[in-house]
Amino acid sequence: MELLSGADMLIRSLQDEGIEYIYGYPGGAALHIYDALFRQDKVKHILVRHEQAAVHMADGYARATGKPGTVLVTSGPGATNTITGIATAFMDSIPMVVLCGQVASTLIGEDAFQETDMIGVSRPVVKHNLSVRHPEEIPEVIRKAYYIASTGRPGPVVVDIPKDMTTPNERFEYAFPKKVKLRSYNPAIRGHAGQIKKAVDMLLAARRPIIYAGGGVILGKASDQLTELVRMLGYPITNTLMGIGCYPATDKQHLGWLGMHGTYESNMAMHHSDLILCVGARFDDRVTNATEKFCPGARIVHIDIDPASISKTIDADVPIVGPVDAVLKEMIALVRESKARPDAEALSAWWKQIEEWRAFHGMRYENNPEVIKPQEVIETLWRLTNGDAFVASDVGQHQMFAAQYYKFDKPNRWINSGGLGTMGFGLPAAMGVKLTHPDDEVLCVTGEGSIQMNIQELSTCKQYNLPVKIINLNNQALGMVKQWQDMNYESRHSQSYMESLPDFIKLAEAYGHVGVRIDRKEDLEPKLKEVLAMKDKLVFVDIYVDRFEHVYPMQVARGSMKDMWLSKTERV
Amino acid sequence: MRRIISVLLENEPGALSRVVGLFSQRNYNIETLTVAPTEDETLSRLTVTTTGSDKVIEQITKQLNKLIEVVKLVDLTEGAHIERELMLVKLKATGSQRAEIKRTVDIFRGQIVDVTSSVYTVQLAGDSDKLDGFIQAVGTSGVLEVVRTGVSGIARGEKVLSL
Ligand SMILES: Cc1ncc(C[n+]2csc(CCOP(=O)(O)OP(=O)(O)O)c2C)c(N)n1
Ligand SMILES: [Mg+2]
């Protein structure tokens, strides 16, 4: 047996866990750990400029790769700076482990320098948190943390490590546990066979069915199974903002995404359906609109790994608790075996109706020969990148436009903070993606409001050569806030203007990058082409877009799914 | 409806705060809460009484089950069960009140466990309604101090909550 210090055990455990990257920022309580990191080269550390960005980077990495991200910070302010990032990951069920230094165990509770009760502070926004109480426990705690973070419904796990747990000159026997056993944590490994059978019977008997898929399909790596089932049945499918890419957006069975800013046809089809098969989604308020008016004629089958997501807001007629891939696989087999077939006449009538809805609205916006429309920027990017880029977005109108007009055919490519809606997420998330996908196009679609919430990371990009393309849809306002003020507060634009914007071009250059400004419509495509051709450069593209544009469709507040604004003047 | 949820919890620091945090974070009620170690020193038994619609109660049990340290739980109110709460009350007891209080304590099958010339300290066990009933019977004007343990419960018959 080898004798190692707690700090060395920690790093060795990360190696044994197969961790490639840590995103972090050092400080007093973490210095033993940082020294251990220095004395090895298997685990690479990325030094960010603000701890929040470290968490979003780990998050972007996790969303793109499906593997848990890792963060290392010091106690007190280092730890509290991670909270927004942790809450962001928690709301979207992203697997990650956040390692936090802590003051020595002998000082805990004494208001020591840089002491914060991180276990307490993080409790409501983590899947779980653990503290190290003896250095010998470190390998087991680390193994447990990754196990909990990445199994069942994934989520962030915080590990609190008092400084005296990592003292260099106290050594202990190191052994990395092969397995973890937690008697009180047993995520479902398959769905209930009887329920699955019932669901398939209902699915085949439906006359106006719709599949409603969510981020759980992506987290559960079940896109292939979902696509197979949906194609087999020939049914329409819609997905949530978090589910974008779980089914090819360019496929004719795909109606686009649903909810507050979803497509007209998705929301109409949901409202008029007689059967909803919900796969890994959670009937969030941004999807359902007023729950008491939600899809009055629909029976609901709900598949989810988390029983607490089922019948939380909308009651399920057939609940199925289990991993989506396994459940879908069983459903595919049952559909294949079954003698029942969907009623062809009913299905073709249903499709006819859906096609009418699609023709009535589809996705459209008013073009204007004078100004650049934010939607056309996204459409152009989609074309120029062959629909194959990773797109990390910030939060606001630009996020909705990106989600609406970039058609994702693959999972894990649309990277956004859906649940918490965290401005400042985009750039660091894009960096986390770029680091592990150096040969892929990685775009950060942002706004002049959001980008300034983590702009300091341009410096990290320089240090690690992360040539992401920042697409700043500059409408010179907190556009989404302004849109709500236009619609609900008689256009009183309280604090939603961004005055004294920086010169983003010079700013990019100051950090050692390239800045490109686009403010004429005819320049849009040629300049974007030039930008995309600069493969090894980070380019900050500052695009002056229509300042008055709104995001549509938009569901009418407190209405049903089918109540929508389709433009500033049309309401259905 | 009022429910009694009984939980086996890992006997670890922080586990209790997670349960309590969950209730406040998700806006669930806690009426009473009791917790103590069990015969198995790795486990605590926690009993919480709460109120809510069936939907809310379902969420409470599901959310509790999601906590990593919750090993097992049961909603005792779903079946026949025994519920007990212990109360200690200090009552003003002078003159003719002394005999009157003594009689009431006997009727409620309580015990006077401490006496001074002007105060009785009464111990009473039973379900929560019975304890409320006693306070009503003696009248709140004479009550100097009340301390209640909160509800503990166990299923009737052969059913047990164990690993
Ligand atoms: C950290 C944070 N603070 C506030 C908000 C509220 N909010 C939502 S969208 C938005 C405006 C975003 O402005 P910008 O990044 O310029 O995007 P735009 O809507 O103009 O495209 C604000 C303030 C938020 N989502 N996140
Ligand atoms: Mg803006």
Side-chain angles (χ1 to χ4, degrees), chain A residues 64-65 385-391 406 410-413 430-444 465-469 532 534-537:
Chain A
T65 62
T385 56
N386 302 313
D388 211 28
F390 286 82
V391 180
Y406 201 102
K410 295 179 192 159
N412 306 92
R413 302 212 157 209
M431 291 158 59
V433 177
K434 189 65 186 175
L435 191 65
T436 41
H437 299 77
D439 300 326
D440 288 295
E441 195 64 71
V442 179
L443 309 177
C444 164
N465 183 30
L466 300 171
V468 298
K469 302 292 180 282
L532 293 171
M534 290 186 253
K535 289 278 171 231
D536 52 357
K537 292 258 185 338

Side-chain angles (χ1 to χ4, degrees), chain B residues 34-72:
Chain B
T34 68
V35 59
T38 63
E39 80 289 357
D40 174 347
E41 64 184 23
T42 67
L43 287 174
S44 302
R45 173 95 173 222
L46 177 147
T47 312
V48 57
T49 55
T50 181
T51 52
S53 63
D54 287 354
K55 204 176 169 80
V56 169
I57 301 294
E58 185 182 327
Q59 267 298 309
I60 292 178
T61 56
K62 283 174 168 178
Q63 294 292 350
L64 278 171
N65 262 318
K66 260 174 82 170
L67 297 179
I68 307 287
E69 282 125 340
V70 167
V71 186
K72 248 186 186 175

